[in-house]
């Protein structure tokens, strides 16, 4: 009975071990990837197994050549590694967390692989490998060597405006996330804002991005901005951009004079209003006075009203002269030579007009002005009889 029980126990353990250590172990490795010669490259890898958790101490990861498993690129025992790869490879991941990612630094032309992953189970006490070994040669990584420097991408390329925030982005793709490229700007002032972003694109390809934000000034017009990316191994690549700054429209030369003219007009208008209110009563008194300047101008306007028929210039001269040479009308008898100075033997004297200087001045200046105006009007009416 005891022997049968031992056989049953062995069968149960064999079933359990076969479920854990069977062919259900899988690995996912990037199929192809680019590597910059002289820099570094990271080969993404994940491994999975059925059953319970296995600690890292129970697992051993190995990278080897596809067709030659004895040519090892990585091993925890460095003596097992090919001389051309010694000190240049390491596991970035934790096997206990199903991460088998490999890093290769100082990439050389012959580091093209293919790179395949193998996992082994080891004993806890002796750390010696068991017979359980799984090599995933059907999923290996091919590496393409890149000798040209990666091209940086600048954008968006647009004209900046003076005094307004401006943003410029510099980005580059790479395959070494363990050593991100260092991106620097030729313009790094105290007020500038620089933000770095790193994101995974696909299949081990990453993008490093630097965002520069600043407020351009007039002196920045036609200035050159340079973005420089330094990769692992000291390899540098740069991109240049000429910044065009549009000057902000300044309307001070229009606004200031307009405001000054408007303010002057308002002040002058207020001054006029105040003066009218202050002297309104006085103006009304002057307008109500008879014979005032307003009345004189009114009579003068009626006298020279446009379109009214009146005497010609020669008639006006004759009428003015007739005022000073007012002689009585003579008939044909008076025009005879015998009656030139006598009438029936009597001598006729010319009428004598007193001199204006001999007349006594009147104290009523206003009345004199009105009389003079009436006399002028009468003379104007009689100008045609004096010719």
């Amino acid at each position: 009975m005891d022997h049968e029980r031992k056989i049953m126990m062995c069968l149960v353990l064999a079933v359990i071990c076969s479920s854990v250590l069977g062919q259900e172990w899988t690995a996912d490795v990037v199929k192809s990837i680019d590597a910059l010669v002289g820099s570094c490259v990271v080969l993404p890898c994940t491994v999975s197994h059925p059953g319970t958790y296995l600690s890292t101490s129970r697992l051993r990861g190995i990278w080897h050549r596809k067709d030659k498993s004895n040519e090892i690129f990585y091993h925890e025992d460095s003596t097992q590694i090919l001389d051309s790869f010694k000190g240049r490879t390491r596991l970035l991941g934790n096997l206990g967390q199903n991460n088998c990612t490999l890093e290769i630094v100082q990439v050389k032309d012959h580091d093209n692989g293919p790179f395949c992953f193998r996992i082994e189970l080891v004993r806890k006490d002796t750390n010696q490998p068991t017979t359980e070994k799984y090599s995933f040669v059907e999923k290996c990584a091919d590496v393409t060597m890149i000798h040209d420097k990666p091209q940086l991408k600048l954008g968006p390329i647009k004209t900046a405006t003076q005094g307004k925030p401006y943003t410029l982005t510099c980005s580059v793709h790479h395959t070494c996330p363990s050593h991100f490229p260092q991106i620097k700007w030729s313009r790094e002032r105290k007020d500038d804002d620089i933000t770095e972003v790193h994101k995974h694109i696909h299949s081990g390809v990453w993008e490093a991005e630097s965002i520069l934000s600043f407020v351009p000034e007039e002196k920045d017009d036609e200035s050159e901005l340079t973005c420089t990316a330094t990769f692992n191994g000291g390899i540098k690549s740069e991109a240049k951009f000429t910044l065009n700054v549009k000057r902000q429209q300044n309307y001070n030369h229009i606004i200031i004079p307009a405001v000054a003219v408007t303010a002057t007009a308002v002040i002058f208008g207020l001054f006029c209003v105040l003066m009218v209110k202050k002297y309104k009563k006085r103006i009304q008194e002057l307008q109500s006075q008879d014979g005032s300047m307003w009345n004189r101008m009114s009579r003068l306007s009626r006298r020279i009203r446009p379109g009214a028929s009146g005497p010609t210039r020669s008639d006006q001269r004759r009428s003015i002269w007739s005022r000073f040479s007012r002689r009585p009308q003579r008939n044909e008898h008076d025009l005879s030579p015998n009656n030139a100075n006598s009438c029936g033997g009597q001598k006729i004297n010319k009428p004598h007009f007193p001199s204006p200087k001999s007349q006594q001045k009147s104290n009523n200046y206003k009345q004199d002005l009105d009389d003079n105006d009436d006399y002028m009007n009468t003379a104007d009416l009689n100008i045609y009889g004096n010719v």
Side-chain angles (χ1 to χ4, degrees), residues 331-368:
N331 52 26
E332 296 179 356
H333 177 72
D334 295 333
L335 294 176
S336 61
N338 297 329
N339 295 329
N341 294 324
S342 63
C343 183
Q346 297 181 359
K347 186 177 181 180
I348 300 176
N349 294 326
K350 295 181 180 179
H352 177 72
F353 293 96
S355 173
K357 295 182 180 181
S358 62
Q359 294 182 356
Q360 185 178 359
K361 293 183 178 179
S362 173
N363 293 327
N364 192 348
Y365 178 72
K366 178 181 176 182
Q367 183 64 32
D368 293 341

Side-chain angles (χ1 to χ4, degrees), residues 262-383:
T262 303
T264 303
V266 171
I267 294 173
F268 181 76
L270 293 175
F271 176 77
C272 293
V273 171
L274 293 176
M275 294 299 294
V276 168
K277 288 183 177 181
K278 182 177 180 180
Y279 295 102
K280 183 176 181 180
K281 185 176 180 181
R282 178 58 179 167
I283 293 173
Q284 290 177 350
E285 292 177 356
L286 292 174
Q287 290 178 347
S288 62
Q289 291 180 1
D290 187 17
S292 64
M293 181 62 69
W294 302 103
N295 293 334
R296 299 174 189 173
M297 293 180 65
S298 178
R299 288 195 297 269
L300 180 60
S301 65
R302 289 197 301 268
R303 187 177 304 166
I304 59 174
R305 185 176 302 167
S309 60
T312 62
R313 185 177 300 273
S314 59
D315 293 338
Q316 292 179 0
R317 287 197 296 268
R318 288 195 294 268
S319 62
I320 294 173
W321 174 254
S322 64
R323 297 174 190 172
F324 298 97
S325 61
R326 292 183 181 272
R327 298 179 182 179
Q329 297 291 334
R330 291 184 295 179
N331 52 26
E332 296 179 356
H333 177 72
D334 295 333
L335 294 176
S336 61
N338 297 329
N339 295 329
N341 294 324
S342 63
C343 183
Q346 297 181 359
K347 186 177 181 180
I348 300 176
N349 294 326
K350 295 181 180 179
H352 177 72
F353 293 96
S355 173
K357 295 182 180 181
S358 62
Q359 294 182 356
Q360 185 178 359
K361 293 183 178 179
S362 173
N363 293 327
N364 192 348
Y365 178 72
K366 178 181 176 182
Q367 183 64 32
D368 293 341
L369 288 175
D370 292 339
D371 293 342
N372 188 28
D373 290 338
D374 293 339
Y375 173 75
M376 294 288 288
N377 291 334
T378 304
D380 291 340
L381 294 176
N382 294 332
I383 58 176

Side-chain angles (χ1 to χ4, degrees), residues 13 43 77 82 112 138 141 203 234 246 332 336 340 353 360 385:
L13 291 174
L43 308 181
D77 183 6
L82 292 172
N112 52 355
E138 72 281 359
S203 303
K246 180 181 179 181
E332 296 179 356
S336 61
F353 293 96
Q360 185 178 359

Side-chain angles (χ1 to χ4, degrees), residues 33-295:
I33 194 169
D34 295 336
L36 178 63
V37 176
S39 183
C40 61
V41 63
V42 173
L43 308 181
C45 172
T46 57
V47 62
S48 62
H49 58 83
T52 59
Y53 168 77
L54 294 174
S55 65
T56 303
S57 62
R58 292 287 314 276
L59 301 172
R60 177 181 293 168
I62 300 171
W63 284 85
H64 62 89
R65 198 180 298 276
K66 182 178 180 178
D67 53 350
K68 296 179 180 180
S69 59
N70 59 335
E71 293 186 2
I72 298 175
F73 302 127
Y74 169 79
H75 196 286
E76 63 181 21
D77 183 6
S78 61
T79 60
Q80 302 291 326
I81 303 176
L82 292 172
D83 291 339
S84 60
F85 282 90
K86 283 183 179 180
R88 297 197 297 118
T89 58
R90 65 175 179 136
L91 281 181
L92 294 179
N94 190 329
L95 293 176
Q97 297 177 354
N98 301 330
N99 191 340
C100 52
T101 300
L102 176 69
E103 178 196 64
I104 305 174
V105 298
Q106 301 176 11
V107 174
K108 302 181 184 302
D109 288 336
H110 57 77
D111 296 343
N112 52 355
F115 295 84
C116 301
F117 179 68
R118 184 174 78 230
I119 192 167
E120 301 176 349
L121 270 71
V122 297
R123 295 184 177 92
K124 283 186 178 181
D125 50 353
T126 62
N127 198 29
Q128 293 298 319
T130 64
T131 58
E132 304 296 334
K133 301 176 182 180
Y134 301 93
S135 182
F136 308 97
V137 292
E138 72 281 359
K139 293 184 178 179
C140 300
D142 290 324
V143 179
T144 303
M145 300 296 115
I146 303 297
H147 296 84
D148 296 332
K149 298 178 181 179
Q151 296 296 320
L152 304 185
K153 182 179 179 181
L154 287 174
I157 304 300
K158 59 182 181 179
T159 302
T161 302
Q162 178 185 356
K164 293 185 178 181
Y166 183 78
T167 301
L168 189 63
T169 301
C170 179
S171 61
V172 63
H173 288 177
H174 64 95
T175 56
C176 188
S178 57
H179 300 279
F180 289 117
Q182 301 296 319
I183 300 179
K184 299 294 183 181
W185 295 90
S186 58
R187 172 197 173 102
E188 291 187 3
R189 301 178 185 175
K190 184 172 65 175
D191 297 333
D192 296 347
D193 183 23
I194 299 177
T195 304
E196 293 186 359
V197 179
H198 302 279
K199 52 187 176 181
H200 181 241
I201 305 301
H202 62 82
S203 303
V205 178
W206 290 72
E207 181 182 58
E209 184 179 64
S210 179
I211 304 172
L212 173 64
S213 299
F214 62 98
V215 178
E217 302 175 0
E218 183 179 353
K219 63 181 181 180
D220 296 326
D221 188 28
E222 299 297 332
S223 62
E224 188 176 70
L225 292 178
T226 303
C227 171
T228 304
T230 304
F231 299 87
N232 176 262
I235 301 174
K236 293 184 178 182
S237 180
E238 65 179 24
K240 296 182 179 181
F241 167 67
T242 301
L243 179 65
N244 294 321
V245 179
K246 180 181 179 181
R247 296 182 181 179
Q248 193 172 14
Q249 295 295 334
N250 189 350
Y251 297 99
N252 291 336
H253 64 286
I254 299 176
I255 296 175
I256 294 176
V259 171
V261 171
T262 303
T264 303
V266 171
I267 294 173
F268 181 76
L270 293 175
F271 176 77
C272 293
V273 171
L274 293 176
M275 294 299 294
V276 168
K277 288 183 177 181
K278 182 177 180 180
Y279 295 102
K280 183 176 181 180
K281 185 176 180 181
R282 178 58 179 167
I283 293 173
Q284 290 177 350
E285 292 177 356
L286 292 174
Q287 290 178 347
S288 62
Q289 291 180 1
D290 187 17
S292 64
M293 181 62 69
W294 302 103
N295 293 334

